Amino acid sequence: MSHHRTEDPLGAGFRELWDQLAPVGRDPDSGGYLRYAFTPAERELRNWFAAQAKRRGMPVTDDGNGNLFAWWAAPDTADDGPAAEAGTAATARAVLTGSHFDSVPHGGGYDGPLGIVSAFLAIDELRRAGTVPVRPIGVAAFVEEEGARFGVPCLGSRLLAGAFDPDRAAELRDADRVSFAEALGARPAGARPDLLARVGAYLELHVEQGRALAGGAAPVGVASAIWPHGRWRFEFDGEANHAGTTRMADRRDPMLTYAFTVLAANKEARLRGAHATIGRVRVEPNATNAVPGRVTGWLDARAAEPAVLDELVEAVRAKAADRARRDGTGLTVVAESTSPLVAFDDDLGARLARLLGAPVLPTAAGHDAGVLAGQVPTAMLFVRNPTGVSHSPAEHATEADCVAGVRALAGALAELACR
Ligand code: HGY
Ligand code: MN
Ligand code: MN
């Protein structure tokens, strides 16, 4: 007896692309990904992007900031989309979709790449159905979304949007002192209002990074807002000394101030219903038998309301400063990046939620969509994450839900770009 299962072409298409990406930049020990901007792994993904675009006859452009775009021109309009130099009619403004390739250290495979894979597959789905765009559709791959290499999250989209100074970006350095300009191979171009003026909407599909969809029936949700958030570098200075011979009373140990600050951040966040994390620390000289001379900890803080976030960071800073006085240590706090509250376009979000029958949910995770929302009507689709785990090798979404995501994205693109 033979069993004939009619294979969903989307399922097979998803598996094909997903299997191509799966080994790229994967650490065999942790099972997580090391896909930092412009490293060999991320360059391999960028080459894959170009190959996928070529396979679909989509010309690729870049914006001089490291962000890539592949274009499906609208045949019935004079405008070829932002790939063309000619002027554009407002009605022909492109619909952009996509996400990022880069990962956090030992991150999951879905955060970012799912949005790019889904974009190409949604285009395949539209073509299979014979749906033709009346506005150009672009697929975007934004660079350095996580800030894992150069410290500033959404660096590529911030540059494009004019929200980060290109001279400052050029000088950002990775752990090996390589600058962003060196990695990019040029000084970043910075703001491209010419390009953004030709984009009528940005729609980013992303794996959900919480459990808002996990309990429900819907595999896909629509984003309403992004919590304001930021990164603050806390530098604790003390005196490096011998661990065996230095009397306890004589020490100026920055590790103590740091440790107290970690606990204070947790407490202050809990008191306010906010989130605070110190997930990265550098100890100098980092020796078992030396009192450290300096400890640097990076605070990631987020809250639903900007005032609560300000209050939280101020409370942690005040407690750290107070503790530093008692420890005889020094404290310097530097804001490395801040991201304001983002409310996505209400009309666009409501329209997509209605179209897809999808629930609407906020998120505390940052996205390039949050940066672009300041310039173009922007929406996000979230694909259900059964555990909510993200920024971890355990991050996951089922194939069926990913396929539902592609279908939702195709439906959204048909609505926004094809009628
Ligand atoms: O850190 C973040 O919120 C994001 O995932 N880039
Ligand atoms: Mn992320
Ligand atoms: Mn992401």
Side-chain angles (χ1 to χ4, degrees), residues 99-100 111-112 145-146 204 206 209 366-367 391:
S99 194
H100 60 96
D111 178 354
E145 192 277 343
E146 301 287 8
E204 179 167 351
H206 204 278
Q209 299 174 291
H367 300 283
H391 286 186

Side-chain angles (χ1 to χ4, degrees), residues 5 7-21 117 121 399 403:
R5 224 175 98 227
E7 173 73 90
D8 178 353
L10 264 182
F14 180 78
R15 215 167 308 129
E16 186 197 340
L17 297 196
W18 206 247
D19 289 350
Q20 291 169 2
L21 298 193
V117 165
L121 292 174
E399 185 182 294
V403 166

